[in-house]
Amino acid sequence: SPQKERYEMQLKGAGPTPFCRGADGRAVLRSSIREFLASEAMHELGIRTTRALSLVVSEKGGDTSNRPWYSDRNKRGPLPTLDDPRLASYSLEQRKQIISQLSVQQKNDPDVMISEPCAITTRVSPSFVRIGHFDLFARRAMAGLADDDDVPYDTTTDAWKELEELMWHAAFRDYKESAYDPFVEKKDAKGASLAILKGAMVNISNLVADWVRVGFAQGNFNADNCLVAGRTMDYGPFGFMDEYHPLFAKWTGSGEHFGFLNQPSAGYANFVVLAESLLPLIVADAGEDWMKEEQRVKKEILTEAQEVFQEEIDRVFRSKLGFDQHEESGSDLWSELEPMMRESRTDWILFWRRLTMVMKEYPSLDSTAYGDMLDLLMGNDEVVKGSSPFYEPLSENYRSKFLDWITKWRKALKEAESSSDDPMSTSSDDTTVPSNWRTLPSNATPYERMKISNPKYVLREWMLVEAYGRASKGDENMVFELLDLVSDPYGERDGGDDDDNYEEKYFKRAPDEALTAGGTAFMS
């Protein structure tokens, strides 16, 4: 690159390898378009990711692969209603929770076999070292325990040398300035390992917090799908969330542990695997007290990591609500808002962006037009179809709840401004919005914070389905249109500046059928 950075390339779908587990090693056009567009969208959202350098598809009459997929008949079944006799023994609140849980748990397996064109995606990244790699090499190295009780491991084995070499490779490729350059000449494996853990702690916690910020669920975020550098990878069972649910995931095998709001916990679990894998290198020279040292170092690292992961997710919600990242009020307001969003069938992207519109239209925190603010938040489906963030009309009860919450939110912002040593401006000038929410100055406006924290456009699955469906018939126009759309996910794209009125096309709720259809609402 112009910055003299090193990049590795991987070909996804190029054929059998020693690691394809007996499958054909090919990728199909559908999954390749999804990865190509999603990795570029993630980059433009300001989130660390592998990139897609190219996408090559078999010509008409060329190679195809058979894959299980979903017929038009394969849909999520109807959910029980609140007055369903099977739920009669439960309280109203329990019935709501059961129905909400079923809405994300009802997922079907594919029911047809289809033939699809083959494709090859070229992935690019400075490194593809996964935490799972460290887990494997550490298990091999730790199998060779030393005969001497005063020495923890046998550091003369090939397995040990391979673990150490992997650590130096990751240090060089992913954390050169902090973990490689200061330690390599001294062959200080302990120092390099600790530096890798410091960097990974920050990067992985940032990554999963950013996924929540933009409504993304990776779907299968285990150690094998987690890069040591903290980049998004493996765009397989991913999905951007339409209707909010804390356990949302597209993949039929995600379970609760990989659900949307559980991703920070999954990221922390992956970090624990990395820490345990590097501990042998850290305590190898600790002498007879190596066990105590191992316990001390592990406790110290993991305690810090727990705090960092929690703080990152708290910072995200503060910024999404317009607060400075370090203002405690934002976290309390999210705790109150979350059940309201879950119970009122709220679209994640539309809600946050329309809340941002409220701040833009009512920049003065002295304004008390809370009813008008609620009307703006709610949108109007009769004027613009799909513009409301609510998949069902709000009841009077929930209108009242959201009105109360908006009032608290605005008063909290005003209180935060009045108590700040560096008071916030109330300008809503679009031209001053920076490019990354983490680098905003402390006196940034609430609107500035919200606009760069709450994207207007993400790759909803119904968009991708239409794009790869057309592409399979030779029409690639929508693929290029979506690539253009995601190049500016925080912009308005409302018909000016040759934007082809993306707002009308794509700034709307998912169609009702997209919330139930196999291959769109869920997938294997």
Side-chain angles (χ1 to χ4, degrees):
S1 74
Q3 293 78 32
K4 297 183 179 181
E5 296 172 321
R6 295 172 179 261
Y7 288 92
E8 297 177 5
M9 289 186 287
Q10 287 185 347
L11 298 180
K12 182 177 181 180
T17 72
F19 310 103
C20 65
R21 294 172 291 185
D24 61 12
R26 305 304 300 270
V28 295
L29 181 62
R30 165 178 47 84
S31 60
S32 300
I33 287 176
R34 292 181 80 248
E35 169 154 355
F36 185 90
L37 289 175
S39 59
E40 292 309 289
M42 196 65 69
H43 172 73
E44 299 296 348
L45 284 163
I47 301 174
R48 289 167 61 87
T49 179
T50 60
R51 302 288 299 277
L53 179 64
S54 65
L55 171 57
V56 180
V57 61
S58 297
E59 294 182 351
K60 187 175 182 180
D63 291 351
T64 61
S65 287
N66 293 327
R67 293 289 187 267
W69 199 236
Y70 296 87
S71 70
D72 292 340
R73 302 180 305 275
N74 197 333
K75 300 181 182 295
R76 179 178 283 150
L79 295 172
T81 60
L82 288 173
D83 58 359
D84 192 302
R86 293 171 294 180
L87 303 179
S89 61
Y90 297 96
S91 68
L92 177 61
E93 185 61 33
Q94 288 173 325
R95 278 177 276 164
K96 289 180 179 179
Q97 291 178 359
I98 291 170
I99 294 172
S100 176
Q101 192 83 357
L102 288 173
S103 71
V104 294
Q105 288 180 339
Q106 281 192 5
K107 299 174 182 177
N108 304 331
D109 290 326
D111 57 337
V112 293
M113 187 70 71
I114 61 175
S115 179
E116 303 184 70
C118 290
I120 299 174
T121 304
T122 304
R123 289 173 171 169
V124 180
S125 178
S127 167
F128 290 97
V129 178
R130 309 174 187 223
I131 289 178
H133 291 144
F134 273 98
D135 185 31
L136 173 62
F137 279 72
R139 288 174 186 272
R140 291 172 177 172
M142 287 187 284
L145 295 174
D147 295 330
D148 186 347
D149 291 339
D150 294 340
V151 180
Y153 304 104
D154 185 350
T155 60
T156 64
T157 65
D158 289 341
W160 182 270
K161 294 176 182 177
E162 289 169 354
L163 173 62
E164 196 165 5
E165 288 172 359
L166 177 64
M167 183 277 296
W168 285 118
H169 173 75
F172 179 73
R173 298 309 296 261
D174 292 325
Y175 299 102
K176 188 174 185 297
E177 292 184 3
S178 61
Y180 186 82
D181 291 344
F183 304 106
V184 65
E185 288 188 8
K186 298 178 289 185
K187 296 183 179 180
D188 182 0
K190 175 182 178 179
S193 297
L194 288 170
I196 288 175
L197 288 175
K198 287 284 187 181
M201 183 190 304
V202 172
N203 285 347
I204 298 173
S205 63
N206 286 357
L207 179 71
V208 291
D210 268 329
W211 286 352
V212 170
R213 180 175 63 83
V214 302
F216 178 84
Q218 197 271 354
N220 190 24
F221 195 47
N222 55 31
D224 288 338
N225 291 325
C226 181
L227 295 182
V228 173
R231 294 186 185 90
T232 315
M233 70 158 296
D234 188 38
Y235 289 91
F238 78 88
F240 284 92
M241 181 167 56
D242 294 310
E243 181 182 342
Y244 168 68
H245 194 284
L247 300 180
F248 161 81
K250 292 283 185 187
W251 186 38
T252 57
S254 290
E256 293 186 6
H257 48 294
F258 295 136
F260 177 62
L261 278 188
N262 284 340
Q263 291 181 117
S265 296
Y268 173 75
N270 292 337
F271 178 80
V272 171
V273 173
L274 180 62
E276 292 174 340
S277 300
L278 287 172
L279 273 174
L281 297 175
I282 295 171
V283 303
D285 297 326
E288 61 181 10
D289 291 330
W290 69 271
M291 292 187 70
K292 289 182 179 179
E293 177 66 4
E294 185 175 70
Q295 292 173 354
R296 182 194 68 79
V297 172
K298 182 177 180 179
K299 181 179 180 181
E300 183 178 297
I301 291 172
L302 296 187
T303 298
E304 180 182 1
Q306 284 180 317
E307 295 172 354
V308 168
F309 274 78
Q310 184 60 54
E311 177 59 21
E312 280 304 308
I313 197 66
D314 289 344
R315 288 174 65 198
V316 156
F317 284 113
R318 292 168 193 153
S319 189
K320 287 179 76 66
L321 289 163
F323 292 91
D324 179 77
Q325 300 168 28
H326 307 291
E327 174 59 53
E328 295 294 334
S329 300
S331 301
D332 295 337
L333 282 163
W334 162 244
S335 297
E336 184 176 344
L337 176 63
E338 190 279 330
M340 294 163 55
M341 292 183 67
R342 174 166 27 95
E343 294 164 6
S344 58
R345 299 196 60 203
T346 306
D347 187 279
W348 184 259
I349 295 299
L350 256 67
F351 178 87
W352 289 107
R353 190 64 180 206
R354 294 198 70 90
L355 193 68
T356 303
M357 292 166 60
V358 169
M359 183 54 66
K360 181 181 181 181
E361 295 302 318
Y362 298 92
S364 172
L365 297 176
D366 291 326
S367 174
T368 58
Y370 304 126
D372 293 337
M373 295 178 196
L374 176 60
D375 289 340
L376 179 56
L377 172 65
M378 290 177 59
N380 190 330
D381 280 356
E382 294 182 2
V383 177
V384 181
K385 186 178 180 180
S387 64
S388 172
F390 301 105
Y391 283 90
E392 294 177 348
L394 283 185
S395 67
E396 286 303 317
N397 180 39
Y398 275 100
R399 279 184 62 95
S400 177
K401 286 185 176 182
F402 276 105
L403 182 61
D404 288 345
W405 182 87
I406 286 175
T407 304
K408 291 179 183 178
W409 168 57
R410 297 282 296 194
K411 289 181 177 179
L413 280 170
K414 183 174 177 59
E415 183 178 350
E417 179 192 19
S418 61
S419 62
S420 174
D421 294 332
D422 195 4
M424 296 180 290
S425 168
T426 55
S427 168
S428 60
D429 180 8
D430 280 354
T431 63
T432 63
V433 179
S435 59
N436 190 301
W437 70 275
R438 285 193 173 88
T439 59
L440 287 169
S442 60
N443 68 338
T445 69
Y447 173 67
E448 285 174 340
R449 294 181 184 127
M450 294 178 73
K451 183 174 182 182
I452 198 59
S453 301
N454 301 316
K456 187 171 183 177
Y457 302 102
V458 296
L459 284 175
R460 297 173 183 263
E461 197 63 33
W462 64 267
M463 301 178 190
L464 288 167
V465 169
E466 185 175 348
Y468 67 66
R470 290 186 186 181
S472 67
K473 299 175 183 177
D475 179 3
E476 299 173 349
N477 288 331
M478 189 170 179
V479 173
F480 288 103
E481 180 167 291
L482 291 182
L483 187 61
D484 181 54
L485 176 73
V486 300
S487 68
D488 184 16
Y490 301 99
E492 295 302 333
R493 318 302 294 272
D494 54 5
D497 301 326
D498 299 321
D499 277 333
D500 199 24
N501 204 2
Y502 286 152
E503 180 176 83
E504 182 178 339
K505 289 183 179 179
Y506 300 119
F507 185 57
K508 58 184 179 181
R509 296 191 312 272
D512 289 342
E513 58 270 20
L515 301 178
T516 60
T520 306
F522 53 87
M523 64 189 67
S524 174

